[in-house]
Amino acid sequence: MDARFTAEQDEIRRTLRELLNKRCGPRELRAALDTPAGHDPALWTALAEQLGLPGLALPEAYGGVGCSATELALACEEVGRALAPSPLLATAVLTAPLITALGTEPQRAALLPRLASGTLTAALAVPGTALAAALALTGTGDGDWAGGGRAGGVQARRAEGGWRLYGQVDQVLDGHSAGLLVVAAHAGGFARSRTLLFLVAGDAAGVVRERQTALDATRPQGRVQLRDVEAELLGEGDGADVLSTLADAGNVVAAALACEAVGAADRALEATVEYVGQREQFGRPIGSFQAVKHRLADVYVAVQAARSAAYYAAWAATDPRGAGNCATSHNEPADARQPIAAPPEARLALAQSLEALRTASAEGIQLHGGIGFTWEHEAHLYFKRAAGDELLFGPAHRLRAHAADTARLFETSAEREVAV
């Protein structure tokens, strides 16, 4: 394993950081949060047209850049530093890989180029609060999370010429504004039910959407109601292994989220270090006090350890034949760049990164003193990102518990032999 970044990876990070520094400062961030969509469409257009960010990890055959999950995760780190509200996570990390893996050739040809160009945004609608379970981050992803119809979630039934969906999904990332919804639904009746994915246009008849008030305003969420909505099955036939595909996608999602959390934690620490070097008490900067130095040193160690874990998870979530090099990936067949079923490193990295972000943001609020508790200061935004991500994708102890179960860490040798 070569842990060094390539020139292409360094360039992605540098150009993205420069753009976000210019276009997504604290004032621009707050203005974007107050828009109906919860993000700045002009910034999203710039990220798509100038950097090709939505299609960074999509195959060149469908208009993408052709890089790997590693480059996508590094881009997420820079987006996390700025807490930039954008459809990147919902579109490029959660949804596009599912369409790439499961979609038919006509579906991929119709949707992926529009996703790569940024002209179409997408959202993954998973019932209830089961996103982490569906992606096998905190559980086995066996399908019990899907619910069905009035009991919660979405029920699918066959109709003339296609499928119809009925139900409600809460807490859909960018669900109120996405042009395309990928909806997980129960089909086939409860005696032989199975979970399938369906494509639904955001403006389809029977779709009712509204933006929800979220703890973390930088991750806009929407409630989606499906009232006998016409839908298209994602994939060919209804025998696709949806649960396995979701679990495989969870590796890339966890790696991207881990890098994003590391970026946010690093920025929270950086802002705190700047502040304690300026604020004076007893005639000297408070950053010169040994107690403050020790606290910030502990945060620094936590952030650096989380960064190492997140980078390894990003590397492990990509096929080694094309890992970490856009130039190499351009010459590889498309399927060589798809996510592979990695061991539990990604879940462990996500747990460590979420804890590092929570520590860095909490210490930032404390060491900023009275101003750190005010609505006008940005410190609370990083703390809410930490809390919101744990609610959506964690918590950390469940991520670790599932990783331990996957690795069969606490099984005896006799239990392992029986399982085999």
Side-chain angles (χ1 to χ4, degrees), residues 108-293:
R108 291 196 293 266
L111 297 175
L112 292 181
R114 297 171 63 196
L115 293 175
S117 67
T119 57
L120 176 67
T121 59
L124 175 61
V126 173
T129 57
L131 184 57
L135 295 170
L137 299 180
T138 57
T140 58
D142 56 8
D144 291 341
W145 47 267
R150 298 179 185 275
V154 181
Q155 183 71 26
R157 63 177 178 84
R158 289 187 181 275
E160 292 185 7
W163 293 81
R164 312 290 294 192
L165 302 184
Y166 179 90
Q168 177 174 303
V169 187
D170 299 308
Q171 296 183 318
V172 182
L173 294 175
D174 292 313
H176 59 295
S177 61
L180 174 69
L181 299 173
V182 177
V183 183
H186 252 168
F190 287 98
R192 47 188 293 272
S193 62
R194 59 198 182 281
T195 301
L196 300 175
L197 294 179
F198 297 88
L199 302 173
V200 177
D203 58 355
V207 175
V208 180
R209 305 188 291 177
E210 62 178 336
R211 184 177 176 182
Q212 298 284 80
T213 300
L215 172 64
D216 178 13
T218 63
R219 284 212 199 281
Q221 300 178 24
R223 173 186 291 127
V224 179
Q225 293 180 342
L226 304 165
R227 302 174 178 177
D228 197 28
V229 175
E230 182 179 358
E232 178 184 356
L233 180 66
L234 177 61
E236 190 170 0
D238 55 5
D241 191 355
V242 171
L243 300 181
S244 176
T245 303
L246 283 168
D248 289 346
N251 297 319
V252 176
V253 173
L257 286 169
C259 287
E260 189 186 67
V262 164
D266 186 60
R267 175 54 194 155
L269 174 60
E270 182 182 270
T272 305
V273 171
E274 292 174 358
Y275 181 77
V276 299
Q278 299 169 359
R279 180 187 172 190
E280 292 189 357
Q281 190 74 13
F282 306 113
R284 54 189 287 198
I286 64 172
S288 65
F289 297 144
Q290 190 176 44
V292 174
K293 289 181 180 180

Side-chain angles (χ1 to χ4, degrees), residues 386-410:
D389 275 6
E390 288 223 37
L391 290 173
L392 281 171
F393 305 106
H397 70 271
R398 291 190 62 188
L399 289 164
R400 286 199 173 96
H402 179 54
D405 291 341
T406 302
R408 300 165 66 182
L409 186 62
F410 300 111

Side-chain angles (χ1 to χ4, degrees), residues 80-83 214-219 221 257-258 260-269 299 303 350-365 378-397 399:
R81 274 184 63 89
L83 292 185
L215 172 64
D216 178 13
T218 63
R219 284 212 199 281
Q221 300 178 24
L257 286 169
E260 189 186 67
V262 164
D266 186 60
R267 175 54 194 155
L269 174 60
V299 175
V303 172
L350 178 56
Q352 189 166 358
S353 299
L354 290 178
E355 288 183 336
L357 175 55
R358 185 175 69 237
T359 300
S361 58
E363 289 287 4
I365 290 177
E378 64 178 353
H380 72 95
L381 295 176
Y382 288 89
F383 187 80
K384 289 178 179 176
R385 168 60 65 88
D389 275 6
E390 288 223 37
L391 290 173
L392 281 171
F393 305 106
H397 70 271
L399 289 164

Side-chain angles (χ1 to χ4, degrees), residues 408 410-420:
R408 300 165 66 182
F410 300 111
E411 288 185 6
T412 65
S413 57
E415 289 173 328
R416 292 194 185 98
E417 290 177 1
V418 171
V420 173

